[in-house]
Amino acid sequence: MPSCLPSIAGRWGPVLLLFLGLLPHLAAGQARFQTRTGLLSFFSASPLEDIEARSQQTAAVLDLNTRQVAFSLPVKSFQFRRTLMQEHFNENYLESDRYPRATFAGRLLALDEEALRAGGARPVTAEGDLTIHGVTRHVQVPGTLELQNGRLRVLATFNVAPADYQIDIPALVRDHIAKVVQVRLDLSCEAVAATAGAPAPSARP
Amino acid sequence: MALLSRFCFCLGWLLLAGWLPATRVQAQNTPPPPDLLGDLERQTTDTLRRELVAATFKGTRIINGHSVETPGGGTLVFLISHRFGTLNSGAYNFFGLDQATIRLGLEYGATDRLTVGIGRSSLDKTYDGFLKYQALRQTTGLHAIPVSVTLFGSSALTSLRYFDGLDHTLPRRLTYTVQALVARRFSPGLSVQLSPTVVHRNLVDTRRQHNDVYALGVAGRQKLNKRTALMLEYYYRLPTTADPSTRNALAAGFDIETGGHVFQLHVTNSQGMIERHFLTQTTGNFFDGDIYFGFNVARNFTLKPRL
C-alpha cells in the first residue's frame, strides 16, 4: 500500500524533522568536554632545594569528534610553598606581566573512542603547540583519558625544560633550579554543547 | 494537508540523507578545525576579574623607611641594616668605613597581611617593636583598587644609661610612630609611595623641641632590569614641628635580588634606621658630604610552607 507511508509521515513528519535537527547537536554535545578549574602542578628537584607549585585554574576544552584539545592557564595563579619563590617566578622567570598565559593547542593522536566509551582509562598522546613565556614549541604529550559518569578525566605527566622556553636562570641560582621541570595535569571536564564560543554557564571559578 | 505531509516526509528523508554523510565527514576531520584555543581564550580572558598587583617593592624597606610590602603568611625575615660613618670624615677614618651603626631585626608574617617585628639598633641602644597591616591591596579588574595602603605602628625604647641627673623612667624612654604607607605600582618598572607619618616622643631634649613631629615621606622605585632597581626616598618634615637643628632624611639606593636574599646598597644623610632616629635625629647635610654609606640585607625563611 503505497499510500500508507505518506500518511505516517504526515502524522510524524514534523516530529521526525525536529528529531533529525536535534540529533547532530546531541551527538556533538557528548563529544565536547570543558573545565576551568583543572589542576596543574610542577615539581623541580635539585640537590639544594625542591620547588613545587600548583594552580587550580587550568581551562581546557577537548573535542572527541574533531580530536582537538586546547588548554590555557593564567601563570599568576600558581601557588608556591614560599612567597618569595612565587614572586621570583612571576617577576624574574616567567615575566607574567608580559606573558600572562601559558597555552597548549593541538590534537589527540590514535584515540579509540569506542574503547573510551566502554569505560576505563585509555592512553592517548596529544600533539600540538605548547606556549610558555611567549615561546611556542611543537611537543607530544602522553596522557590518559577516562569517562566517569559523563565527565572526562584527563591525566598527563610530562617534562618541560625552562631553557627551551628562554626562561633565563642566572648563574647564581642555577644549582637551585632543575634543568627539567616535571609537570602534572589533572582535569575533570564536564560535557558541554559544541556550539563554539558559548560560555559554560556554571564553571566560572 | 496531504501535500504538506508528503513534503515533510520528503524533507525528512532528504535531511537524513544529508546528515549521514556529514557525520562521516566530521569523523574524518576534513572540514577546517574550529579555533578551540581562541574560543577558550575568549571565554576565560576575563577583563573584569580582580587580580592583585604584587611586588610593588622588592623588600619590606625602601631604604630607611618601611615599604607597603609585608613578608606574607608564615615567612620570617632576618634583616641586617648597616650604616658606616660619613664619607667626609676623611682618609683617617677610611671615609667612614671605620665606624658602623647596625640594626638587627626579625619580622614575621602572622598572616599574608599582618606582620609583627622587633629590632635592636646600636644607635642609642634602641629596641623597637612594630605592627604592620596591609589594609588595602592594589588590584586590577572590576572595581580596581588603585593603591596599596599599609598601616604601620611602632614603639622604640632607648636603653642608654643617662648621667644627666634626670629620672629616665620607662615612659620617658619611649617613642611612638604611626604611619600610613600608600603606594602604587604604575608599571612593571615604576612604583611610588607616599608615607604620612607622626612621631611622638614622650621626652624631648630641650624646651624648643616638639613632642610630635609630622612628616611626609616620598619614595620611588625604578627597576633597571629583572633583578636590580634604583630607589629614592625623602622624608619632608613639617617645619613647624621639626627641630631646626636637624634635617630631613634623604636617601638613594640600589636593590639587588638573588635567590633568597635582597641586598640594598644606599647612601643617606641619616645614621639611624628606624623612624624615631631618621625623622628626629638626622643632622647630616647630604650635599656637604655628610653621607653614610650603608646596606640592608634581608634573608627570608619559610616557617609555614603554603602548599
Side-chain angles (χ1 to χ4, degrees), chain A residues 6 9-10 17 20 23-24 32 34 36 52-53 57 59-61 65-66 68-72 76 79-84 87-88 91-93 95 101 103-105 107 168 170 172-173 196-200 204, chain B residues 5-6 8-9 11-12 15-16 19 26-27 29 33-34 36-37 39-41 43-46 49 51-52 54-55 57-58 71-73 75 185 188 223 226-227 257-261 300-302 304-307:
Chain A
L17 246 179
L20 283 172
L23 206 57
R32 188 174 273 205
Q34 185 168 339
R36 288 193 184 187
E52 193 187 349
Q57 291 182 28
V61 184
N65 272 350
T66 64
Q68 275 198 299
V69 293
F71 297 85
S72 176
K76 276 189 186 170
Q79 292 286 313
F80 284 70
R81 290 162 59 84
R82 297 171 188 266
T83 49
L84 206 58
E87 197 177 304
H88 289 167
E91 292 278 309
N92 301 341
Y93 297 114
E95 299 175 271
R101 285 175 173 274
T103 60
F104 176 82
R107 55 193 306 271
D168 172 43
L172 202 62
V173 292
R204 197 161 287 223
Chain B
S5 62
R6 197 159 300 169
C8 283
F9 175 77
L11 200 64
L15 259 166
L16 190 63
W19 179 70
Q26 203 175 12
N29 200 23
L36 225 56
L37 183 62
D39 289 347
L40 193 65
E41 296 279 84
Q43 285 176 46
T44 53
T45 308
D46 196 346
R49 195 187 151 83
E51 210 167 67
L52 279 180
F57 293 99
K58 279 199 202 292
T75 303
R185 189 172 183 178
K223 278 175 104 168
K226 279 189 245 173
R227 289 173 185 85
E257 190 181 292
T258 67
H261 293 87
N300 287 21
F301 299 94
T302 304
K304 277 192 205 150
R306 292 147 69 85
L307 278 185

Side-chain angles (χ1 to χ4, degrees), chain B residues 196-262:
Chain B
T197 309
V198 186
V199 177
H200 174 82
R201 294 174 285 176
N202 278 356
L203 181 70
V204 290
D205 296 336
T206 66
R207 264 176 208 284
R208 284 175 57 221
Q209 289 181 357
H210 294 265
N211 288 87
D212 293 323
V213 174
Y214 292 86
L216 176 68
V218 184
R221 170 188 83 166
Q222 175 61 51
K223 278 175 104 168
L224 299 177
N225 59 37
K226 279 189 245 173
R227 289 173 185 85
T228 59
L230 273 182
M231 315 288 289
L232 263 182
E233 182 188 64
Y234 180 67
Y235 272 88
Y236 172 79
R237 300 172 306 162
L238 214 62
T240 50
T241 65
D243 180 358
S245 67
T246 61
R247 289 177 182 275
N248 293 339
L250 170 66
F254 183 62
D255 282 12
I256 309 162
E257 190 181 292
T258 67
H261 293 87
V262 179

Side-chain angles (χ1 to χ4, degrees), chain A residues 57-138:
Chain A
Q57 291 182 28
T58 309
V61 184
L62 290 96
D63 196 319
L64 297 185
N65 272 350
T66 64
R67 302 277 165 83
Q68 275 198 299
V69 293
F71 297 85
S72 176
L73 153 89
V75 178
K76 276 189 186 170
S77 66
F78 277 109
Q79 292 286 313
F80 284 70
R81 290 162 59 84
R82 297 171 188 266
T83 49
L84 206 58
M85 273 184 188
Q86 191 167 326
E87 197 177 304
H88 289 167
F89 175 78
N90 288 310
E91 292 278 309
N92 301 341
Y93 297 114
L94 271 285
E95 299 175 271
S96 317
D97 281 325
R98 274 172 76 189
Y99 311 109
R101 285 175 173 274
T103 60
F104 176 82
R107 55 193 306 271
L108 299 169
L109 304 176
L111 171 69
D112 187 350
E113 206 177 321
E114 274 175 31
L116 181 69
R117 299 219 182 260
R122 296 284 150 190
V124 288
T125 300
E127 184 191 58
D129 294 328
L130 180 61
T131 305
I132 303 171
H133 190 234
V135 178
T136 302
R137 289 177 69 90
H138 198 74

